Amino acid sequence: MRLPLYKRFARSEEGGLSNEAVITMPLLVWAITATFVFWDAFKTMNISQKATYTVADMLSREVEPIDAAYMTSMHEIYDFLSGEAGDNAIRVSVVTLTTNETTNAEELQLVWSEGVNIPGYVDLAIIESRLPTLSLGEQMIVVESEQEWSPAFAVGLASYRFREVALARPRFAPQMVWDDGSGSAPST
């Protein structure tokens, strides 16, 4: 009695190494290449996060007013730390909790927002959900960064723009001040 075809195929120990190599080698090369590309994506994301947290920490220790030159320097530091000097962007916003004089209710207020290669915010609608609970009069520094990433090989991942957010409170000063260079009192 002859075994059915699928059982004969399963029990057969005959084969050619060259046939098996032709089938498995492309899959093996793709798997190794895909592993490299995925690792590179996660490495880029991790470095971007660390660079964003570093910039936020540096800003939280600042006691002097921040100006456009300082923001450009922060962007250059971010570029250096991320290892990618290119289409990176950084935005710093300062938010505080105040009391509305007409309703006597507490509300978040955008003190100032400036960016390099990205515009500053004009209101809090976009970032309000990301903010933690603040005490009355307390300021929060919101640092956002964007970094472009492109895969080295086409293995199923498209180019991506990593967006990171880091929050920090001013450490050595009660507030972070923006100096617009006009000679008038800095915005607080």
Side-chain angles (χ1 to χ4, degrees):
M1 176 170 167
R2 248 180 125 173
L3 292 172
L5 181 61
Y6 66 91
K7 285 188 177 180
R8 275 188 282 147
F9 178 75
R11 290 186 181 187
S12 174
E13 295 181 8
E14 296 177 11
L17 185 59
S18 60
N19 294 340
E20 293 169 4
V22 165
I23 293 171
T24 59
M25 196 54 93
L27 292 174
L28 184 63
V29 169
W30 180 86
I32 291 170
T33 305
T35 301
F36 170 77
V37 169
F38 279 89
W39 179 84
D40 185 51
F42 282 108
K43 179 190 81 153
T44 302
M45 181 181 69
N46 189 315
I47 289 172
S48 179
Q49 286 173 344
K50 289 178 182 178
T52 304
Y53 291 141
T54 300
V55 169
D57 186 60
M58 291 174 68
L59 286 166
S60 74
R61 297 168 189 268
E62 191 58 56
V63 295
E64 297 296 322
I66 307 300
D67 59 5
Y70 191 93
M71 283 292 294
T72 302
S73 297
M74 286 292 102
H75 182 256
E76 290 170 1
I77 288 172
Y78 177 83
D79 283 349
F80 174 76
L81 292 173
S82 67
E84 296 286 329
D87 194 23
N88 297 334
I90 190 168
R91 174 177 31 228
V92 177
S93 304
V94 176
V95 178
T96 190
L97 184 66
T98 60
T99 303
N100 186 321
E101 294 183 18
T102 57
T103 63
N104 213 21
E106 293 180 350
E107 64 182 23
L108 289 171
Q109 177 186 6
L110 181 66
V111 179
W112 59 268
S113 181
E114 297 292 330
V116 177
N117 294 343
I118 190 170
Y121 291 123
V122 293
D123 63 22
L124 281 174
I126 296 174
I127 60 171
E128 191 167 8
S129 64
R130 300 180 192 158
L131 299 174
T133 304
L134 299 175
S135 301
L136 189 61
E138 181 181 26
Q139 281 195 346
M140 178 65 59
I141 304 164
V142 181
V143 178
E144 298 169 277
S145 67
E146 294 185 4
Q147 181 176 4
E148 194 69 37
W149 175 81
S150 298
F153 303 101
V155 293
L157 282 181
S159 293
Y160 189 76
R161 189 155 183 90
F162 290 108
R163 292 176 174 86
E164 304 299 336
V165 177
L167 305 172
R169 289 183 167 93
R171 296 184 187 198
F172 304 124
Q175 61 187 355
M176 178 172 272
V177 179
W178 175 256
D179 182 5
D180 62 4
S182 66
S184 61
S187 63
T188 57

